[in-house]
Amino acid sequence: MLPLVLDKVAYAIRDHAIIDDVSFEITAGPRTVILGPNGAGKSVLMRLCHGLLQPTAGAIRWMGSRNGRGRQAMVFQRPVMLRRSARGNITYGLALAGVSPRERRLRAQDVLEAVGLAHVADKPARVLSGGEQQRLALARAWALGPEVLFLDEPTANLDPGATREVESLIGQIHAGGTKIIMTTHNLGQARRLGDEILFMHGGRLAERAPVATFFAQPASHEAAAFIKGEMPWQ
């Protein structure tokens, strides 16, 4: 389904531009991190790419088609848990995708074991800890076998231990061949998980570079200031 192409994309609410004239192409392989301060437009850009929002100008294309439905998934900063067991959260999504009952059970067990939640498979998902819920959200998306996985600030509300667990899982999903596109404002996380950086500032794409180049030699004043901690928000 890749590349994902954004062509002069804009998104505005009334007359307020949140995303302004953004163009880029994302290909398979490297982990893409959309980095920037709070208010830069990262999450809105992610929702546009995923198809939850429609651009008010410009175009978004997957391999020449208008959307990539059924072949991509997204995990949010605050995952929404269904009123079901941990296992039920996974099998319900698979049922909606048309997966057979037997295959649903097998996939659910596999991903629950992979994320370390097999022991709570029958517990209500909403009583799990924040870190467990985020791992379950990853498992729910992973079970669908997406070609592309969008992650919107996936560890923003987690403690350091839970963050390490989630980052490890993201690495496993990437190693399995799924394209990772994630947002963060955490410089350390961008270094650890990114292969390329798309740096957002003021709703625009200010810079794009391999992660090592971005941190060693930022090309824009805004990126240099952000790395130095001189621009914590907008």
Side-chain angles (χ1 to χ4, degrees), residues 59-81:
I60 299 174
R61 298 187 298 274
W62 293 90
M63 278 290 288
S65 65
R66 284 194 170 272
N67 63 66
R69 290 189 184 124
R71 301 166 71 184
Q72 50 147 320
M74 184 167 175
V75 173
F76 299 91
Q77 182 178 13
R78 294 180 178 84
V80 177
M81 296 287 105

Side-chain angles (χ1 to χ4, degrees), residues 7-87:
D7 183 14
K8 298 184 178 180
V9 168
Y11 183 78
I13 297 177
R14 298 181 180 87
D15 292 327
H16 176 60
I18 299 173
I19 299 296
D20 186 17
D21 195 28
V22 171
S23 297
F24 59 76
E25 179 177 309
I26 291 180
T27 59
R31 295 165 296 182
T32 300
V33 170
I34 302 171
L35 180 67
N38 293 328
K42 304 184 300 297
S43 292
V44 171
L45 181 62
M46 176 81 67
R47 285 163 171 73
L48 286 163
C49 291
H50 184 51
L52 292 176
L53 298 174
Q54 295 301 312
T56 51
I60 299 174
R61 298 187 298 274
W62 293 90
M63 278 290 288
S65 65
R66 284 194 170 272
N67 63 66
R69 290 189 184 124
R71 301 166 71 184
Q72 50 147 320
M74 184 167 175
V75 173
F76 299 91
Q77 182 178 13
R78 294 180 178 84
V80 177
M81 296 287 105
L82 304 176
R83 293 183 182 275
R84 297 168 182 263
S85 67
R87 190 195 315 276

Side-chain angles (χ1 to χ4, degrees), residues 34-38 42 77 153 156 183-189 226:
I34 302 171
L35 180 67
N38 293 328
K42 304 184 300 297
Q77 182 178 13
E153 300 272 9
T183 65
T184 186
H185 61 264
N186 184 307
L187 294 173
Q189 186 168 77
F226 183 66

Side-chain angles (χ1 to χ4, degrees), residues 176-231:
T178 298
K179 168 74 179 188
I180 299 294
I181 305 173
M182 67 176 285
T183 65
T184 186
H185 61 264
N186 184 307
L187 294 173
Q189 186 168 77
R191 287 178 186 268
R192 291 190 298 273
L193 297 183
D195 295 310
E196 65 168 355
I197 301 291
L198 275 63
F199 180 73
M200 295 291 295
H201 177 260
R204 289 177 170 265
L205 179 62
E207 185 171 343
R208 181 178 190 173
V211 65
T213 302
F214 176 82
F215 283 104
Q217 297 177 311
S220 65
H221 168 75
E222 293 84 1
F226 183 66
I227 291 170
K228 291 177 182 177
E230 297 172 356
M231 188 178 60

Side-chain angles (χ1 to χ4, degrees), residues 90-128:
I90 297 169
T91 56
Y92 181 74
L94 292 171
L96 293 179
V99 178
S100 71
R102 180 176 182 277
E103 181 66 17
R104 294 200 294 264
R105 290 192 297 272
L106 291 173
R107 285 201 208 177
Q109 187 61 31
D110 284 347
V111 294
L112 284 167
E113 290 177 358
V115 303
L117 294 177
H119 65 294
V120 296
D122 297 317
K123 275 191 174 182
R126 293 186 177 185
V127 307
L128 301 180

